[in-house]
Amino acid sequence: IVSNSKAIQRKSMTVLADGVPAVYRGTSEKTYDMVYSGGLGAHKGTPQLIAMLEPYRSKKILIIASDPSGQWRKQIPHTTWIDHVPYEQLWPTLAQARIGLEPKPLDSTEGSAKELNYIAAGVVPVRTPTALQRLLNDHVFYHNQFQQLEKKVEYNRWTTQLPMLKKIYESSQA
């Protein structure tokens, strides 16, 4: 659970880790430059997503999101859209892209497992337009970030997270 600490004062909660077992090792070819997977709306960072993508209309972009009204699809017309991917097919689908977009505002109090899914799929996550530009234009930087994915997965493994979660739980019971 990721939340604003003021919002959870004097309330009990259970903390659950979003563990990642390993980096996806499938043979997916990188057919997309970028991917976004998740909900759409202002609170999800969709306006930021649209702004991030605007300079890259010529790039291959995959959006995995439901947009029943077509409100957002009209604003990002130069992309491939998939409305839904079963969770068991998410990693192989994400793995088709080089870069995963997480446009959610940095001050958001809403949790997200999106970056962990990108990392687990072997996709380099990015939050800002500046970082996106560098990843797209600097191949050495992209390669270095890609090589760091294994370390990021190691940090998020259940075996690494459980001792920390146990300490958090025990301190909350005191």
Side-chain angles (χ1 to χ4, degrees):
I1 295 174
V2 177
S3 182
N4 181 331
S5 61
K6 293 177 185 174
I8 59 170
Q9 290 177 354
R10 297 189 202 135
K11 295 182 180 177
S12 64
M13 67 176 175
T14 303
V15 178
L16 301 174
D18 192 350
V20 174
V23 172
Y24 174 72
R25 298 275 184 226
T27 57
S28 293
E29 184 180 324
K30 302 291 187 184
T31 55
Y32 294 98
D33 296 300
M34 296 171 264
V35 63
Y36 172 79
S37 171
L40 298 172
H43 66 289
K44 298 288 189 180
T46 306
Q48 291 90 329
L49 175 67
I50 292 167
M52 283 175 84
L53 294 176
E54 185 60 35
Y56 305 107
R57 289 180 173 258
S58 64
K59 298 290 184 184
K60 290 185 153 195
I61 302 166
L62 173 63
I63 305 287
I64 304 169
S66 179
D67 184 21
S69 70
Q71 169 189 359
W72 301 108
R73 194 178 299 234
K74 290 174 193 168
Q75 296 181 56
I76 316 174
H78 51 280
T79 59
T80 299
W81 283 78
I82 299 175
D83 287 333
H84 175 74
V85 174
Y87 193 74
E88 63 274 6
Q89 289 299 311
L90 184 60
W91 287 359
T93 305
L94 293 174
Q96 295 175 41
R98 294 176 54 231
I99 299 167
L101 305 170
E102 170 54 296
K104 191 179 292 180
L106 294 174
D107 62 352
S108 174
T109 60
E110 182 179 89
S112 174
K114 185 183 312 339
E115 288 185 59
L116 289 178
N117 282 320
Y118 290 154
I119 291 167
V123 176
V124 177
V126 66
R127 287 182 157 270
T128 67
T130 304
L132 176 60
Q133 180 181 22
R134 187 163 181 207
L135 284 169
L136 286 169
N137 297 319
D138 184 339
H139 296 292
V140 173
F141 180 69
Y142 170 81
H143 180 73
N144 289 339
Q145 294 299 305
F146 183 80
Q147 294 301 317
Q148 294 295 316
L149 293 178
E150 240 352 297
K151 290 179 184 174
K152 291 178 181 180
V153 167
E154 186 58 40
Y155 174 77
N156 287 290
R157 288 185 197 275
W158 276 105
T159 54
T160 306
Q161 295 292 315
L162 282 176
M164 178 189 67
L165 291 172
K166 184 178 178 190
K167 285 180 186 178
I168 292 170
Y169 175 76
E170 288 171 350
S171 69
S172 71
Q173 299 301 308

